[in-house]
Amino acid sequence: MDSSDSSALSSNVAGFIDKSTNPKNSYCVDSLPVYVRELIAGGCAGAFAKTAVAPLERIKILFQTRTEGFHSLGVYRSLKKLINHEGIKGLYKGNGASLLRIVPYAALHYMSYEQYRCWLWSNCHFLGTGPVVDLLAGSAAGGTAVLCTYPLDLIRTKLAYQVVDNRQLFRNDINYACSSTTYRGVQDAFKQVYKERGIRALYRGVGPTLIGILPYAGLKFYIYEELKRHVPEEHQNSMVLRLSCGALAGLFGQTFTYPLDVIRRQMQVENLQQRGVRYRNTKEGLAFVVRNQGWRQLFSGLSINYIKVVPSVAIGFTTYDFMKSWLHVPSRPKSQAVSGM
């Protein structure tokens, strides 16, 4: 795309934002506290991005947890097989629980990032206002969001792990009878998991999640904001450039932390698997996987995660920036941005 095309697209986006906010709507929006507008923008960004890649998320979980009949297949064949067994709805199985988690998660993630960043600017002057602040604020925001919404992520994973042959086909070819526990929905899964070990069961696997999310969330915001700093001002509203910055942020951030995501998924579905292995902590889980499944298993599903995460993060950041403009969320003062470079 040349510069003229990019400028035209930027003008179209800016024009759409201007038309979507009449004086009456502006008054209603501006009457909301800034943090509420940030919550709304983050929630919308998370819901839109997660739904767009839900089928790929389902396949990734089946790969990571070594579900029988799926872990040795490619992405296309797995999608086709899943449709044969569960129909189109199977591609979105667990997405309801995922949205229940991602909306508050993304809302808290983006809002707390903005709040932590402002706090660091005001109280830690020695850090400046550059990329270090984005790294620290992003990490803290990721940890906050995880702690508040982790049980919903665990339930989503358990539901996505179950593959039920609704068409009575290939019954012996999939992991249908492996599980002694069958969940009928989000509410039923919550009840059964809570009966297992109480609150501790709802936070099973939170250790590797926190260890992974702190650097991932920090790197994601750091890379995105740093790339945006180098975009000329006349292209700041370009949707293509925002998507590109978000894609690169997701790509690099996910690569460094992916093995911890694999361990988290395996810990989340331990009670649904026949082998009965239980990891006491993240270090033990990493050692067990390398010793018994090979180091390649630590990156199982990484290719599909690239296909999923790159558009997901790109769509999420772009939607968030658009919603911030539409909701009139104050942007970072230019003087601070310049002084931090």
Side-chain angles (χ1 to χ4, degrees):
M1 175 175 288
D2 57 29
S3 59
S4 61
D5 291 336
S6 179
S7 299
L9 182 57
S10 301
S11 300
N12 291 337
V13 172
F16 179 78
I17 293 173
D18 291 338
K19 293 177 183 178
S20 64
T21 55
N22 57 45
K24 185 176 181 180
N25 288 337
S26 297
Y27 176 78
C28 294
V29 168
D30 292 339
S31 65
L32 295 172
V34 173
Y35 75 89
V36 173
R37 283 179 268 167
E38 291 170 347
L39 283 170
I40 295 172
C44 290
F48 191 71
K50 181 62 68 173
T51 301
V53 298
L56 295 173
E57 177 70 17
R58 177 89 198 273
I59 296 299
K60 187 196 77 169
I61 291 174
L62 294 176
F63 284 176
Q64 288 181 326
T65 54
R66 298 178 63 84
T67 304
E68 185 178 342
F70 284 90
H71 68 276
S72 59
L73 299 179
V75 176
Y76 175 75
R77 291 175 62 192
S78 294
L79 287 169
K80 186 176 179 180
K81 185 173 183 178
L82 199 56
I83 292 174
N84 286 338
H85 284 83
E86 299 184 343
I88 296 297
K89 287 184 177 181
L91 298 177
Y92 293 88
K93 187 174 182 180
N95 193 52
S98 183
L99 288 179
L100 285 175
R101 180 193 72 92
I102 201 62
V103 171
Y105 174 85
L108 284 168
H109 197 175
Y110 285 106
M111 185 275 290
S112 59
Y113 164 71
E114 301 284 1
Q115 298 301 314
Y116 283 134
R117 188 169 62 171
C118 289
W119 185 88
L120 288 170
W121 283 343
S122 301
N123 297 278
C124 302
H125 302 290
F126 63 92
L127 294 175
T129 58
V132 174
V133 173
D134 293 316
L135 184 67
L136 294 176
S139 297
T144 299
V146 163
L147 288 174
C148 293
T149 62
Y150 184 80
L152 290 168
D153 180 57
L154 180 134
I155 295 302
R156 184 275 306 265
T157 300
K158 288 181 179 293
L159 289 172
Y161 175 74
Q162 292 182 158
V163 180
V164 180
D165 189 354
N166 291 332
R167 302 184 182 187
Q168 304 299 317
L169 298 173
F170 313 107
R171 178 74 67 174
N172 296 323
D173 190 36
I174 62 171
N175 191 24
Y176 175 79
C178 284
S179 172
S180 59
T181 305
T182 301
Y183 304 121
R184 296 187 297 273
V186 176
Q187 186 176 2
D188 180 61
F190 263 113
K191 288 181 179 179
Q192 293 198 50
V193 172
Y194 184 78
K195 287 180 180 179
E196 181 186 344
R197 293 177 63 195
I199 294 295
R200 293 184 63 184
L202 290 173
Y203 278 87
R204 180 67 178 162
V206 73
T209 303
L210 284 174
I211 295 172
I213 198 63
L214 294 179
Y216 171 65
L219 284 170
K220 186 175 67 173
F221 279 103
Y222 165 77
I223 294 171
Y224 181 68
E225 294 294 339
E226 187 64 14
L227 289 173
K228 278 175 52 180
R229 285 190 184 96
H230 292 84
V231 174
E233 187 173 351
E234 61 269 22
H235 298 305
Q236 284 291 328
N237 289 327
S238 171
M239 186 175 294
V240 173
L241 285 173
R242 288 182 178 181
L243 285 169
S244 300
C245 292
L248 288 172
L251 182 69
F252 288 112
Q254 187 65 203
T255 301
F256 295 128
T257 61
Y258 190 78
L260 294 167
D261 190 46
V262 172
I263 299 302
R264 169 174 66 111
R265 296 298 185 196
Q266 293 205 9
M267 292 178 74
Q268 287 177 335
V269 300
E270 283 172 343
N271 68 313
L272 303 179
Q273 297 177 319
Q274 283 184 323
R275 64 175 183 265
V277 177
R278 296 189 68 88
Y279 308 137
R280 287 177 295 182
N281 51 53
T282 305
K283 182 179 179 181
E284 182 179 300
L286 287 168
F288 179 88
V289 169
V290 172
R291 183 172 61 252
N292 294 279
Q293 302 172 13
W295 66 268
R296 292 179 183 272
Q297 177 61 26
L298 292 176
F299 295 91
S300 177
L302 181 57
S303 59
I304 191 174
N305 216 46
Y306 283 148
I307 300 172
K308 178 188 77 72
V309 166
V310 169
S312 178
V313 175
I315 291 170
F317 272 127
T318 304
T319 304
Y320 180 64
D321 280 345
F322 170 77
M323 290 298 296
K324 281 173 64 178
S325 298
W326 189 77
L327 293 168
H328 302 163
V329 176
S331 59
R332 178 191 312 196
K334 291 183 180 180
S335 60
Q336 288 181 325
V338 173
S339 66
M341 290 180 64

